[in-house]
Amino acid sequence: MSDDLKKGLEGVLVAESELSSIDGDAGRLIYRGYTIEDLARGASYEEVLYLLWNGHLPSEDELESFTAALMDEREVDDDVLETMKKLADAGEQPMAALRTAVSMFSASEPETDAAPEDLEATLRKGRRITAKIPTALAAFERYRLGEEPVDPHSDLGLAANFLYMLSGEEPDEIAAETFDQALILHADHGLNASTFTAMVIGSTMADIYSAVTGGISALSGPLHGGANQDVMEVLIEIDESDLDHREWVEQATEEGRRIPGFGHRVYNVKDPRAKILQERSEELAETGESKWYDYTTTIEQYLSEEKGLTEKGIAPNVDFYSGSVYYQLGIPIDMYTPIFAMSRVGGWIAHVLEYQEDNRLIRPRARYTGPQDQKLVPLEER
């Protein structure tokens, strides 16, 4: 057994997976062999969920049945809605509210007595979680605004339905397609921290509600989720500044400020997901405000070309463009990470199911560096 220490488990192989693959040098991401570009531009989020969970893209009949099953599970219990209202009134953070909601979903689970080894039942539970998360999130946001939740729309897909429940108005085609693409782009990404957390929990054969709740908790940390929120806050700061956006970024870098949305643990070139969202941001700018797209492209050009960050392997990641895209869609800034979870739940569920097919409890070890040969002093003598 090797005694080499790998902080953060960086580079350590812990599992084999057929779900997603990342080539950080080429800027390539695939789900089950399909490039992220092809999936984002030619499939729906529901199709990608089916692909991740079942191993192949659905036929028309399979997709119709799968989509109908998801739609049937969108409603959440009144107890969940009441809790979302209480949390909204108390000023709770959206990620914490989502964590609570998913834990509560299990109370209405019809297959609570299913054996841990029953992976088909686990998949059905995962489908219910995935269907209900948008409803709970949208209700939480509505309550924060002092408004009543909007019931799920029976004719809209998952992405469009979330935007509808958030605003009470059906999104236009561009907005619905853009958000659907964003969900596809975030659905899976190898063994990131939240996915690995869900896998560790799943390896104990705990239920999928526990695994997803753990994934949400891991994603809530600022070193994992949340960078797109940071990006948007910087863009707003630029917008409110007296400086031209080019002057702002020059001054910020001279002061040593780090611009969020640049650099990635895996990618050494521009994140392929960022390229796709940049296109959507430009398209949204053509029909609405263009300044957010202008700000991001100016920052990217300055940092990449004049500061040479790309040559150093520091390039825009998916968060750099997703923040402004969500803002252009009218989504509140602190909902960005919960939306990340709303998408990534598909990957968490897929990885748990895949790992449990040939399960082994994940149990790494730590090198002990504490004292040796301590002598116990009786309590009365300490």
Side-chain angles (χ1 to χ4, degrees):
M1 186 179 293
S2 173
D3 285 328
D4 292 341
L5 180 63
K6 297 286 188 178
K7 289 285 285 185
L9 297 180
E10 186 165 359
V12 175
L13 285 172
V14 298
E16 292 182 326
S17 177
E18 298 180 355
L19 294 169
S20 63
S21 175
I22 307 161
D23 186 333
D25 294 324
R28 178 178 168 84
L29 170 63
I30 63 172
Y31 296 168
R32 290 195 183 273
Y34 295 93
T35 68
I36 195 64
E37 291 84 359
D38 284 349
L39 291 172
R41 295 175 179 132
S44 65
Y45 180 62
E46 283 85 350
E47 288 176 84
V48 169
L49 282 179
Y50 192 97
L51 171 68
L52 291 174
W53 293 351
N54 295 282
H56 62 90
L57 287 170
S59 66
E60 288 187 10
D61 289 344
E62 288 171 331
L63 180 60
E64 182 179 353
S65 176
F66 180 70
T67 301
L70 280 169
M71 288 180 172
D72 287 344
E73 303 288 358
R74 286 176 175 174
E75 299 285 348
V76 299
D77 281 358
D78 289 342
D79 288 346
V80 175
L81 293 177
E82 290 171 7
T83 299
M84 292 299 98
K85 187 176 189 311
K86 289 179 181 178
L87 293 176
D89 292 344
E92 181 62 281
Q93 294 298 311
M95 280 296 277
L98 177 59
R99 181 188 64 213
T100 300
V102 172
S103 291
M104 290 188 70
F105 291 165
S106 67
S108 59
E109 170 55 54
E111 297 184 86
T112 187
D113 294 331
E117 299 82 11
D118 186 346
L119 300 188
E120 289 298 321
T122 298
L123 179 55
R124 290 191 293 271
K125 294 176 183 179
R127 186 189 68 212
R128 295 180 187 112
I129 294 171
T130 303
K132 294 178 189 304
I133 281 178
T135 307
L137 272 180
F140 176 78
E141 176 57 21
R142 298 282 295 182
Y143 283 133
R144 289 203 300 179
L145 297 173
E147 299 175 354
E148 288 299 305
V150 175
D151 291 336
H153 197 298
S154 59
D155 295 324
L156 295 177
L158 190 146
N161 180 60
F162 176 73
L163 295 178
Y164 166 74
M165 291 189 295
L166 207 59
S167 67
E169 298 179 1
E170 290 190 36
D172 61 35
E173 186 177 348
I174 292 177
E177 288 182 356
T178 298
F179 192 59
D180 190 75
Q181 278 194 339
L183 296 182
I184 291 170
L185 297 176
H186 289 86
D188 196 43
H189 207 246
L191 294 193
N192 52 82
S194 57
T195 298
F196 187 61
T197 298
M199 278 180 53
V200 171
I201 295 171
S203 80
T204 72
M205 300 308 292
D207 69 13
I208 195 66
Y209 290 93
S210 299
V212 170
T213 302
I216 292 169
S217 300
L219 186 63
S220 69
L223 295 184
H224 189 8
N228 50 11
Q229 179 176 338
D230 296 337
V231 170
M232 197 59 227
E233 289 172 351
V234 163
L235 297 182
I236 292 174
E237 183 180 343
I238 292 173
D239 191 53
E240 296 175 347
S241 169
D242 294 330
L243 298 174
D244 174 84
H245 51 283
R246 169 79 179 207
E247 295 173 337
W248 186 95
V249 70
E250 290 177 353
Q251 180 174 302
T253 53
E254 288 174 3
E255 294 172 351
R257 286 189 60 176
R258 179 184 175 276
I259 306 301
F262 269 72
H264 194 279
R265 184 74 170 262
V266 178
Y267 293 110
N268 300 314
V269 296
K270 188 171 181 176
D271 188 329
R273 301 168 298 173
K275 295 179 181 178
I276 297 169
L277 285 176
Q278 183 179 9
E279 295 172 3
R280 300 308 303 207
S281 179
E282 182 177 14
E283 188 172 354
L284 288 169
E286 292 173 355
T287 58
E289 281 190 311
S290 63
K291 61 183 179 181
W292 308 113
Y293 176 74
D294 294 339
Y295 295 165
T296 51
T297 51
T298 296
I299 292 172
E300 178 181 354
Q301 182 180 27
Y302 179 77
L303 294 180
S304 299
E305 297 178 7
E306 299 199 23
K307 287 297 183 179
L309 291 190
T310 301
E311 295 177 0
K312 300 174 184 178
I314 304 173
N317 58 44
V318 67
D319 297 308
F320 187 67
Y321 280 99
S322 64
S324 58
V325 165
Y326 292 158
Y327 198 80
Q328 288 168 286
L329 292 175
I331 298 172
I333 294 175
D334 63 357
M335 291 289 282
Y336 293 178
T337 306
I339 286 171
F340 191 163
M342 187 170 78
S343 168
R344 185 58 57 84
V345 65
W348 294 335
I349 292 165
H351 279 275
V352 169
L353 288 166
E354 182 182 56
Y355 191 80
Q356 287 182 340
E357 287 179 358
D358 185 23
N359 193 69
R360 182 171 176 79
L361 178 67
I362 297 174
R363 175 60 169 89
R365 63 192 184 99
R367 179 186 297 152
Y368 179 70
T369 59
Q372 303 279 354
D373 303 321
Q374 294 275 59
K375 302 299 182 183
L376 179 64
V377 177
L379 178 61
E380 63 273 11
E381 297 178 19
R382 290 181 219 154

